């Protein structure tokens, strides 16, 4: 909601009579200087007039949607001076500033919308106004000079300039105002009224038309009256009541309370969040103002709130006046800023930014901007100083005119319209020396050739230097860095070649006059610095402590590149594939096994009839299990390979250990044989897992059921190849297995004297070799078994003599002890 | 606070007065009222967009759009910030401008970019029309193009040939 600075009621329109007189005076003065159609905007005068208008309107008129003024639309922006008085007394609506004057002759086209307006006087006067409107007058300057008003109106002393935007309550207005002061060229308060309403309307409708008009301003040489055709259409649809009611309800767009900026604090100077900066590249310069704020230099800080687009500015663009005649011959103290701006704006002859752009800039800001260039206006200035004691405008130029008359100030303004002179040595190390030479020659020759006009419009451009000098340098720095190369021939071959050729050509042409050029020039090579990023780390902390931002991204994750050759990769892949296959097999077998294991339970649960079926299933499963251990070609044999494969996986070992009890004895025996045979390999593979010992129990069971022949075979298998036994002994499981076998043999022998164990010499021999091995093996490498069967000693006693027996005993004891 | 000094202007060598205050970096003594425009040489010997800032440009984008606006800001990727942009649609001899406001163009989408010389007399045969009209024209043009394309494709199909659609080619 707008906040309104309610002025003293006194200040409204008491001095009307006097004002009128003075208006004439100043009007004349204006005309003298600028010819007819000068615009002065004094909001209070405007307000007066509009109030009167309002009265009239309230009397008999309906819509105030006086669109017409494409002028208003054209202006697109706001002025800042005139007030628009909006209808119902109840509503408190601020006065928008006056319209910016369009440069094209709008006056010739009366907005069609006007015709619709009913209601006598108002429409007439408006039509008159519009028809008679000079393009240059379109801004809603009041006829009177500001000085008078300021004298006449005892505005509160501390009221800053901005507050002219506030309006006083319409009800406070005296009923009668002169609508058009005499002597006033049909400059309109009404257009501003219209424009304001139109503004509001447009605001309701969205910014698009506004923008359109704005932009159209820029391309005005192309567009002609395009925008004009747009707006009346819009305006004609405007009705008073809906708009007003809207305004009543919703209020007008927000503006920051002017009181806030009273102390000149720039709202846009809120500090943005701190940004980290990269040490290498650097960040774009941290802005004191949020990005997107228009450049500071041309504007007063305190006037920022005027930048809002809702606010039509009145920038008066005059025909070009020589910029040296900036000041009127006499410099009255109370000259309206508008006047001053008119003076100052004179070089605005053909800017790419016609006044219409000026929504952002008020006249004052413009003048200030200009002033800053002229008078070395300190950049940090707070803007127009407060105007004490006067409601009108005072010259805001900080420095008194005489100062300006002094030595022609030429300091480069802080905004960087001025550029380093060619003498400045740039960093041209990246260039080919020939190139460098040419460049310097070029630059020197260009030294005096500059034209001035481009700088002119540039300096008037309110949006110029959005990109500050620092930012430009930052970008340039980045681009320069990209140019550095350690191998110029690789990076920019054609460039190098071209300049080499040029050099040669020059040498040829000069025919050796300048011998020094024939010496070979070596382009400077920039050392390629390895910027290895080392993240900041504190001692004792976990992880990396880094603040990373868009401008300095940091490496948070270490990705290590492991480059493997193709062969290695293939092998690895193969290994993994195989492993996966094994696991897959194991999984499948597991599921079968589990079913088999659960058979019992299920068997008990199922009713009689189904038991047979279940039994069948069970058998199938078991067979399946068994068959999975087999290789495909060999029907009956348990495949060693398969077993081994399975056993190579931890899961597989577990599986086998659970499986063995369910196997038919023959197959179980075969399995155990296989295990024994390949024990060293298994032991090796088991080093990580150490789970072979799971097999002890089932194997033990199997062994106990073995016949003597098989047992002998088993023992033989265990001893299989050379050195196998020693390896076996090194493995816990192996030792345990061995002992199991031996103890089984012993049990056989002791239980049954007729056992066939002794028939075959193999057993004896095997035992002998075992004992030999046991004796030979160093104690350290003898792995303690899981358990030592007690009857081993008796076994050995059969075969070995006392000495050895004792040694064996020691060994065994050691092993038993160390279990 | 401000001391004024009389020095020769770096550009035209005539005397100019300067105030020795608030100088940052280089000290360039030039006439204050920008009598001279110095071509800013940020990166001598290279092509840089820095000198193009705040000038009116025309940019052609990869999708075929033509934008005209004031180049306000750039970065190292040649991303462009255009101010008071107008999209200009050309159909035949007619063109129409659609004001677009502020445009930020990603650098990779720029085909070409050129400065518009405000001073050069504009003697173009092109005729400006309103937005609605140009959009209508454009629509008709697109329609006509599509129809010819369809006809072509069907003709080729009849002969057993199929040509992939050109608009997808860019993606692959």
């Amino acid at each position: 909601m707008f906040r309104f600075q309610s002025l003293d009621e006194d200040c409204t329109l008491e001095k009307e009579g006097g004002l009128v007189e003075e208006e004439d005076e100043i009007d004349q003065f204006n005309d003298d200087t600028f010819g007819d159609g000068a615009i002065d905007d004094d909001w209070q005068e405007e307000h007066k007039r509009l109030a009167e208008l309002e009265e009239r309107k309230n009397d008999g008129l309906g819509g105030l949607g006086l669109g017409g003024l494409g002028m208003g639309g054209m202006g697109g922006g706001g002025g800042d001076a005139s007030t628009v008085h909006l209808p119902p007394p109840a509503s408190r609506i601020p006065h928008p500033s006056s319209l910016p004057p369009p440069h094209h002759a709008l006056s010739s086209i009366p907005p069609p919308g006007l015709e619709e307006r009913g209601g006598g006087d108002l429409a007439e006067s408006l039509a008159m106004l519009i028809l008679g409107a000079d393009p240059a007058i379109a801004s809603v300057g009041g006829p009177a000079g500001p000085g008078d008003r300021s004298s006449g109106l005892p505005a509160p002393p501390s009221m800053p300039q901005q507050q002219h935007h506030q309006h006083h309550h319409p009800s406070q207005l005296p009923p009668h105002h002169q609508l058009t002061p005499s002597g006033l060229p049909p400059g309109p308060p009404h257009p501003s009224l219209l424009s304001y309403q139109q503004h509001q309307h447009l605001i309701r409708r969205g910014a698009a038309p506004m923008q359109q008009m704005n932009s159209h301003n820029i391309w005005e040489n192309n567009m002609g009256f395009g925008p004009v055709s747009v707006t009346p259409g819009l305006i004609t649809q405007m009705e008073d009541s809906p708009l007003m009611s809207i305004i009543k309800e919703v209020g007008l767009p927000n503006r920051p309370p002017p009181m806030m900026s009273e102390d000149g604090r720039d709202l846009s100077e809120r500090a943005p969040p701190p940004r980290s900066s990269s040490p290498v590249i650097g960040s774009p310069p941290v802005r004191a103002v949020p990005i997107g704020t228009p450049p500071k230099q041309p504007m007063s800080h305190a006037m920022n709130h005027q930048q809002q687009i809702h606010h039509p500015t009145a920038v008066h663009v005059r025909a070009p006046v020589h910029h040296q005649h900036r000041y009127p011959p006499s410099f009255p103290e109370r000259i309206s800023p508008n006047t001053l701006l008119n003076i100052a704006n004179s070089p605005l002859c053909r800017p790419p930014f016609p006044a219409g752009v000026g929504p952002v800039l008020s006249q004052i800001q413009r003048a200030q901007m200009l002033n800053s260039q002229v008078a070395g206006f300190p950049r940090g200035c707070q803007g127009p100083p407060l105007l004490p004691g006067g409601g009108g405008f005072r010259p805001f130029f900080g420095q008194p005119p005489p100062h300006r008359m002094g030595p022609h100030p030429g300091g480069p303004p802080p905004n960087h319209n001025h550029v380093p002179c060619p003498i400045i040595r740039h960093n041209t190390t990246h260039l080919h020396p020939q190139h460098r030479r040419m460049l310097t020659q070029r630059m020197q020759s260009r030294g005096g050739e500059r034209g001035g006009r481009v700088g002119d419009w540039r300096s008037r451009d309110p949006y110029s230097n959005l990109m500050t000098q620092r930012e430009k340098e930052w970008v340039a720095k980045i681009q320069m860095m990209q140019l550095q190369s350690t191998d110029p021939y690789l990076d920019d071959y054609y460039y190098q070649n071209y300049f080499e050729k040029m050099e040669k050509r020059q040498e040829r042409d000069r025919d050796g006059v300048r011998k020094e050029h024939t010496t070979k020039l070596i382009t400077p090579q920039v050392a390629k610095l390895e910027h290895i990023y080392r993240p900041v780390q504190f001692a004792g902390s976990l992880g990396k402590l880094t603040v990373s931002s868009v401008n300095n991204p940091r490496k948070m994750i270490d990705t290590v590149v492991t480059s493997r050759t193709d062969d290695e990769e293939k092998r690895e892949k193969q290994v993994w594939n195989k492993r996966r296959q094994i696991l897959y097999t194991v999984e499948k077998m597991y599921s079968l096994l589990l079913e088999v294991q659960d058979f019992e339970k299920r068997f008990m649960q199922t009713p009689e009839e189904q038991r047979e079926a279940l039994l069948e299933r069970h058998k199938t499963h078991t067979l399946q299990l068994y068959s999975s251990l087999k290789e495909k070609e060999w029907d009956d044999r348990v495949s060693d390979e398969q077993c081994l494969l399975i056993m190579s996986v931890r899961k597989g070992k577990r599986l086998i250990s659970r499986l063995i009890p369910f196997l038919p004895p023959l197959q179980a025996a075969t399995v155990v044989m296989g295990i024994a045979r390949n024990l060293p390999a298994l032991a090796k593979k088991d080093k990580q897992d150490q789970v072979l010992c799971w097999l002890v129990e089932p194997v033990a069971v199997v062994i106990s059921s073995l016949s003597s022949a098989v047992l002998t075979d088993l023992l033989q298998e265990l001893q299989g190849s050379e050195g196998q036994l020693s390896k076996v002994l090194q493995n816990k499981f192996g030792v345990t297995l061995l002992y199991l076998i031996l103890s089984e043999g012993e049990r056989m022998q002791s239980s049954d004297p007729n056992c066939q164990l002794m028939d075959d010499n193999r057993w004896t021999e095997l035992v002998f070799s075992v004992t030999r091995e046991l004796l030979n093996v160093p104690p350290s490498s003898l792995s303690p078994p899981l358990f030592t069967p007690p009857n081993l000693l008796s076994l050995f006693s059969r075969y070995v003599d006392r000495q050895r027996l004792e040694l064996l005993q020691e060994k065994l004891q050691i092993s038993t002890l160390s279990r | 606070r401000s001391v004024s000094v009389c020095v020769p202007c770096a550009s035209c060598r005539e005397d100019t007065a300067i105030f020795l205050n608030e100088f940052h970096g280089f000290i360039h003594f030039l006439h204050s009222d920008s009598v001279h425009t110095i071509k800013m040489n940020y990166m001598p010997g290279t092509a840089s967009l820095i000198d193009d800032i705040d000038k009116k440009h025309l940019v052609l984008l990869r999708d075929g759009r033509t934008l005209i606006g004031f180049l306000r800001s750039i970065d190292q990727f040649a991303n462009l910030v255009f101010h008071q942009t107008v999209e200009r649609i050309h159909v035949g001899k007619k063109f129409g401008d659609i004001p677009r406001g502020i445009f930020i163009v990603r650098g990779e989408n720029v085909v070409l970019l050129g400065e518009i010389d405000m001073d050069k007399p504009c003697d173009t045969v092109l005729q400006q029309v309103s937005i609605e009209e140009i959009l209508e024209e454009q629509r008709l043009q697109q329609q006509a193009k599509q129809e010819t394309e369809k006809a072509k494709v069907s003709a080729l199909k009849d002969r057993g040939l199929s040509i992939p659609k050109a608009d997808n080619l860019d993606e692959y």
Side-chain angles (χ1 to χ4, degrees), chain A residues 281-401:
Chain A
I281 293 179
S283 316
V286 176
R287 294 177 68 108
V289 298
I291 292 177
T293 52
K296 236 192 259 181
Q297 290 82 14
M299 307 189 184
S300 77
H301 306 306
M303 302 295 258
N304 270 343
H305 69 282
Q306 294 178 13
Q307 298 164 16
Q308 302 209 2
I309 205 168
H310 316 306
H311 227 32
T313 36
V315 176
H316 175 58
V317 177
R318 310 292 310 172
V321 173
H322 197 287
H323 64 258
Q324 278 166 13
H325 291 187
R326 289 178 202 261
Y327 318 110
S330 64
F331 190 80
E333 199 198 342
R334 293 164 177 264
I335 196 167
S336 83
N338 216 9
T339 322
L340 286 168
L341 270 173
N342 295 340
I343 303 164
N345 273 351
S346 46
L348 267 173
C349 39
R350 35 178 317 201
F353 300 97
V357 171
V360 182
L361 261 196
S362 76
Q363 312 158 2
I364 295 166
Q365 291 167 343
R366 269 175 200 264
Q368 194 174 11
M369 161 182 79
L370 290 161
N371 190 33
S372 71
Q373 298 201 349
V374 168
F377 201 55
R379 186 168 35 150
C381 157
Q382 292 293 310
L386 306 180
L387 306 174
F393 295 110
R394 292 198 175 249
F396 62 90
F397 295 139
Q399 288 130 4

Side-chain angles (χ1 to χ4, degrees), chain A residues 111-149:
Chain A
L114 263 189
E115 275 78 65
E116 296 183 10
R117 302 293 155 247
D121 294 14
L122 184 58
E124 275 175 345
S125 51
L126 288 170
M128 184 181 67
L129 287 168
I130 290 159
L131 284 170
D134 201 11
I137 304 173
S139 94
V140 194
D148 308 308
R149 284 183 285 260

Side-chain angles (χ1 to χ4, degrees), chain B residues 1-113:
Chain B
R1 174 143 146 65
S2 34
V3 178
S4 90
V5 167
C6 210
V7 291
C9 165
S11 172
C12 71
R13 314 314 286 173
E14 290 178 17
D15 274 3
T16 179
I18 54 123
F19 285 100
L20 294 176
N21 58 348
E22 299 180 7
F23 278 175
H24 307 259
F26 307 118
I27 297 183
H28 318 296
F29 307 134
L30 298 167
H31 279 108
S32 73
D33 51 1
S34 306
V35 161
H36 314 293
T37 336
I38 312 295
K39 185 162 200 291
M40 176 55 124
N41 263 325
Y42 271 96
M43 296 176 51
T46 60
S48 173
L49 287 174
I50 291 177
D51 304 333
D52 286 355
I53 282 185
D54 291 337
K55 295 182 183 155
K56 192 165 168 188
H57 280 74
L58 181 145
V59 63
L60 178 66
L61 303 180
R62 266 166 55 176
D63 63 356
R65 277 188 278 188
T66 310
L67 302 177
I68 298 173
F70 289 91
L71 184 62
R72 290 299 176 199
S73 186
I74 57 158
D75 70 353
Q76 66 268 36
F77 309 111
N79 295 330
L80 314 166
V81 175
F82 278 98
H83 183 225
Q84 290 161 348
T85 323
V86 158
E87 180 182 340
R88 186 160 286 186
I89 302 177
H90 291 269
V91 179
K93 283 242 160 66
K94 303 184 191 165
F95 73 92
D97 283 347
I98 304 174
R100 295 287 193 193
I102 299 175
F103 247 92
I104 299 177
V105 180
R106 190 179 164 92
E108 63 173 345
N109 294 302
V110 171
V111 173
L112 48 85
L113 167 74

Side-chain angles (χ1 to χ4, degrees), chain A residues 763-781:
Chain A
W763 178 255
T764 326
E765 282 172 22
L766 289 168
V767 176
F768 270 130
S769 65
V770 165
T771 47
R772 244 179 289 135
E773 194 61 39
L774 273 172
L775 289 167
N776 290 340
V777 78
S780 53
S781 63

Side-chain angles (χ1 to χ4, degrees), chain A residues 276 533-537 542-550 552-560:
Chain A
S276 65
Y533 165 63
R534 297 200 192 288
V536 172
Q537 263 174 332
L542 293 171
K544 300 170 188 175
L545 179 73
T546 314
V547 175
S548 116
S549 74
V550 169
N552 60 330
R554 290 289 174 251
K555 193 166 77 166
M556 301 301 276
I557 303 172
D558 290 324
T559 50
V560 178

Side-chain angles (χ1 to χ4, degrees), chain A residues 440-472:
Chain A
T440 42
Q441 286 169 12
R442 224 183 288 159
M443 290 218 255
Q444 280 159 14
S445 65
R446 273 204 208 143
E449 287 176 10
R450 314 293 181 178
R453 64 178 161 75
V454 182
D456 247 8
W457 69 253
R458 254 214 213 168
S459 63
R460 292 346 176 222
D461 180 357
Y463 286 97
S464 67
N465 301 315
L466 275 171
M467 202 174 175
T468 62
Q469 188 75 356
R470 271 188 74 190
E471 284 168 352
K472 289 184 192 170

